[in-house]
Amino acid sequence: MLKKIIVLSGPIAVGKTAFSDELMRRYPCEKVSTRKYILKVKQVPNERKALQEAGAALDRETGGAWVSEAASEAVLPPDKKYLLIDSARIPGQVEFLRERFGRENVHHIHLTAPQDILKKRFDERLAHLGETSSYEEARADQTEAEVERLELIADVVVATEKSDVKSCVTFAATGRLSVETPLSYVDLFVGGQWGSEGKGNICALLAKEYDILVRVGGPNAGHKVQDPLYTYRQLPSGTGSNQNAEIFIAAGSTISLTQLFKELDAHPWLKEKGLVIDAQAMIIESDDIRLEEKLLGGISSTKQGVGVAAARKIMGRDGDLDWGPKVRLARDIPELKQYIGDVRDKIEIALSVGKKVMLEGTQGTDLSIHHGTYPYVTSRETSAAGCLSDAGIPYTRLRKVVVVARTYPIRVGGTSGPMGVAVSFEEIARRSGLPVERISRTEIGSVSGTKRRMAEFDWEQIRRSTYWNGATDIALTFVDYLGTDNEVAKTFDQLNSTSRTFIEDVERVCGIPVSLVSKGWGCDGLIDRRAW
């Protein structure tokens, strides 16, 4: 099978290096080192001028055929599809490549720009690299003079002065270059009730199945996990259980710097690699917290400043606000510089090369700012659609949407809004056989620290939630509340009859499987019934 070749050409300072770097980021390319070939054949010093003269000599001796010979000797790794030759200098180099590998297997991209633009770029490069030759001297080189002829034989010509490098690569490559689409997907885990459904624990237990863990939301939602024991408020809940994963905090997130740095201190490997914070994530200021403490006591808000920060992000687009500090995004924080990136773009690239992504929602579906029982709601859209929007992921890349639901849903203690038929801790203890003290210790808000309110399971709520989220699966948690004997169960059949009937009814009402059953904390507490 013949190799596929991408060959770039263009005048000096046109941007070939930046173009090739972006091309290699998107497509599985292996760069051909013409420098190594010249050194091997001509035995010249490894210096720019000597290499240029040796390359020109090879062009004269072979008419440019030496480049195809270098490509023929290059090894194409199994995970690469194209060999990239990033600087053809004469038409003969391209023609010999086409002759040797077949015209259909050689993709010739020529980059152009007006002379004044090229000179400006060259002068900027001179200042950066400390070179002494002028643009006029570089352009007068005989080999450089041949470059313009390459435009006439190129498959595509790209005017680099009209677009940035990403746009140039998109124009040149999309629809012309291709890659085999590897198995890749996004699985989204979203709360199906009013929060505290145990999403974090489920995500932590499954995190090792994914290459990338993505968190949206803010520090007003805490996700407590066991392996290792930690409560996450900024980082994805699987950060500790999968230390090989890339960790992303998406653009729709709000960040408490104090909380983020605390979590980074607890996960020191992230300071060296693996963490990307989107440049446009919003920073919470101390004034945001003070304002929420003043305004939001009547709805039992956790008062972490998330809502006020979100409001400032909207209202502060034109500069200073007279009621709050100026907007600061993650890109404006010097201490975050090493982590800053474009999460949306990185997820797109990751999916193109076969990586698996876990997207973790925060809070519950019925706390949606738009569809919850206003005003007893949070400050963001909490459904699957909101999570995807916050992360910049299209719905077409979803494999699974897992709605996490409790056997007895909860709301934050106090005046946090309606929640159906209330049930006491004592009554749950009587039904389940669990000590009431254990339930009381468990049902404390991980952020608010207040005692939770609990209710009977709402069948219409779970039906509506799975429909609204486009759920494919349900993770049912706190099944131990249906009987303490469930704690020793290893399979669905070992659950007590009450629990088995309850799960079957959930599947009947929602029309989708209960694929994960949590009847305790940690790995031993999960019954995995997935068919995926």
Side-chain angles (χ1 to χ4, degrees):
M1 181 172 155
L2 288 174
K3 296 173 181 174
K4 295 183 180 294
I5 311 292
I6 302 171
V7 56
L8 305 183
S9 63
I12 192 168
V14 77
K16 293 186 291 296
T17 298
F19 188 95
S20 65
D21 288 346
E22 178 66 17
L23 192 70
M24 292 180 72
R25 193 176 73 89
R26 298 196 204 181
Y27 294 90
C29 300
E30 180 74 7
K31 189 175 288 189
V32 176
S33 178
T34 53
R35 178 182 62 84
K36 288 182 179 179
Y37 185 86
I38 293 171
L39 289 171
K40 183 186 77 169
V41 172
K42 287 295 189 180
Q43 301 292 308
V44 296
N46 189 11
E47 299 172 354
R48 182 176 180 182
K49 183 173 179 58
L51 288 167
Q52 286 177 331
E53 291 175 350
L58 281 172
D59 282 337
R60 292 192 297 271
E61 295 163 9
T62 69
W66 70 275
V67 174
S68 65
E69 184 64 29
S72 180
E73 292 183 5
V75 176
L76 186 65
D79 62 335
K80 305 295 184 183
K81 182 172 181 179
Y82 297 101
L83 288 175
L84 174 61
I85 298 167
D86 63 358
S87 187
R89 309 306 298 172
I90 63 172
Q93 293 178 351
V94 176
E95 297 296 357
F96 275 109
L97 285 166
R98 287 170 172 167
E99 181 180 324
R100 185 161 195 161
F101 296 99
R103 187 179 185 92
E104 69 280 4
N105 292 317
V106 177
H107 305 273
H108 176 200
I109 302 170
H110 185 78
L111 309 182
T112 68
Q115 291 296 317
D116 59 330
I117 299 293
L118 293 174
K119 184 178 186 308
K120 179 181 178 183
R121 292 176 182 173
F122 185 89
D123 291 343
E124 290 171 351
R125 191 171 78 177
L126 281 182
H128 175 67
L129 298 177
E131 297 179 1
T132 56
S133 60
S134 67
Y135 174 71
E136 289 73 18
E137 290 173 329
R139 182 170 164 73
D141 179 83
Q142 181 60 40
T143 304
E144 184 66 24
E146 292 279 315
V147 170
E148 292 183 359
R149 293 171 53 202
L150 285 155
E151 180 175 349
L152 302 175
I153 64 169
D155 297 306
V156 58
V157 177
V158 182
T160 64
E161 82 281 5
K162 293 183 178 180
S163 306
D164 63 20
V165 65
K166 288 185 177 181
S167 184
C168 288
V169 171
T170 296
F171 171 74
T174 305
R176 293 185 174 96
L177 305 181
S178 64
V179 294
E180 289 77 16
T181 303
L183 177 63
S184 63
Y185 49 76
V186 178
D187 289 342
L188 167 58
F189 294 77
V190 61
Q193 294 153 324
W194 292 288
S196 298
E197 300 95 347
K199 295 181 296 297
N201 192 50
I202 295 293
C203 288
L205 293 174
L206 302 183
K208 290 182 180 178
E209 300 177 12
Y210 300 88
D211 303 296
I212 295 172
L213 311 179
V214 186
R215 174 74 185 258
V216 296
N220 53 338
H223 291 176
K224 191 174 184 179
V225 306
Q226 184 188 45
D227 184 24
L229 182 64
Y230 199 78
T231 299
Y232 291 95
R233 292 169 58 187
Q234 294 284 185
L235 298 174
S237 298
T239 299
S241 53
N242 183 1
Q243 295 187 21
N244 294 319
E246 297 176 79
I247 305 300
F248 292 172
I249 297 177
S253 303
T254 45
I255 295 175
S256 160
L257 292 175
T258 300
Q259 182 62 33
L260 176 62
F261 291 141
K262 175 184 175 182
E263 294 185 27
L264 287 176
D265 287 341
H267 303 81
W269 63 91
L270 291 179
K271 296 181 181 181
E272 302 300 326
K273 62 175 184 177
L275 174 62
V276 179
I277 301 173
D278 197 277
Q280 300 205 148
M282 180 66 181
I283 301 300
I284 299 169
E285 309 289 358
S286 56
D287 284 353
D288 298 329
I289 299 172
R290 284 193 287 270
L291 188 54
E292 286 197 2
E293 289 173 342
K294 178 180 178 181
L295 296 177
L296 296 180
I299 61 170
S300 296
S301 165
T302 56
K303 308 177 190 67
Q304 299 301 305
V306 173
V308 175
R312 284 195 302 110
K313 191 174 186 180
I314 295 170
M315 297 302 294
R317 289 169 291 169
D318 194 31
D320 295 333
L321 297 166
D322 58 9
W323 54 272
K326 186 176 181 179
V327 168
R328 290 197 301 167
L329 303 180
R331 68 192 184 200
D332 302 317
I333 308 302
E335 296 86 346
L336 298 181
K337 183 178 179 180
Q338 71 185 93
Y339 308 117
I340 297 302
D342 184 337
V343 165
R344 178 182 61 182
D345 182 62
K346 288 186 176 295
I347 292 174
E348 180 182 359
I349 297 299
L351 291 172
S352 73
V353 297
K355 292 188 177 182
K356 283 73 174 175
V357 178
M358 171 185 277
L359 174 57
E360 180 182 353
T362 56
Q363 304 171 288
T365 294
D366 274 351
L367 291 179
S368 160
I369 180 67
H370 304 302
H371 305 288
T373 49
Y374 191 91
Y376 304 102
V377 294
T378 193
S379 56
R380 58 181 290 272
E381 177 51 58
T382 54
S383 66
C387 294
L388 290 171
S389 177
D390 283 353
I393 299 174
Y395 73 92
T396 51
R397 302 315 301 265
L398 282 174
R399 180 183 69 153
K400 296 290 180 179
V401 177
V402 182
V403 164
V404 185
R406 296 172 54 117
T407 53
Y408 291 94
I410 67 95
R411 293 200 81 156
V412 175
T415 53
S416 56
M419 61 176 302
V421 179
V423 61
S424 68
F425 293 176
E426 291 76 14
E427 176 59 19
I428 295 172
R430 185 191 68 78
R431 296 177 188 178
S432 66
L434 294 170
V436 68
E437 294 81 10
R438 173 174 154 181
I439 297 172
S440 298
R441 286 195 304 270
T442 300
E443 301 304 341
I444 298 293
S446 56
V447 174
S448 67
T450 59
K451 180 180 175 180
R452 293 165 173 164
R453 302 158 54 213
M454 299 183 71
E456 301 281 6
F457 193 80
D458 188 326
W459 295 95
E460 171 58 14
Q461 180 186 46
I462 193 62
R463 183 208 64 79
R464 182 181 64 239
S465 184
T466 52
Y467 159 76
W468 179 17
N469 285 296
T472 60
D473 298 80
I474 295 170
L476 187 67
T477 60
F478 292 89
V479 175
D480 50 326
Y481 283 11
L482 299 181
T484 186
D485 51 338
N486 286 330
E487 292 183 312
V488 299
K490 302 295 184 184
T491 66
F492 173 79
D493 292 336
Q494 292 172 354
L495 295 170
N496 63 33
S497 59
T498 299
S499 301
R500 295 197 305 272
T501 299
F502 185 90
I503 291 169
E504 289 166 355
D505 284 339
V506 171
E507 292 179 326
R508 172 181 55 82
V509 167
C510 298
I512 56 175
V514 175
S515 298
L516 297 161
V517 178
S518 176
K519 40 77 183 186
W521 216 23
C523 296
D524 293 339
L526 186 67
I527 296 175
D528 192 342
R529 308 174 71 212
R530 291 178 293 167
W532 38 283

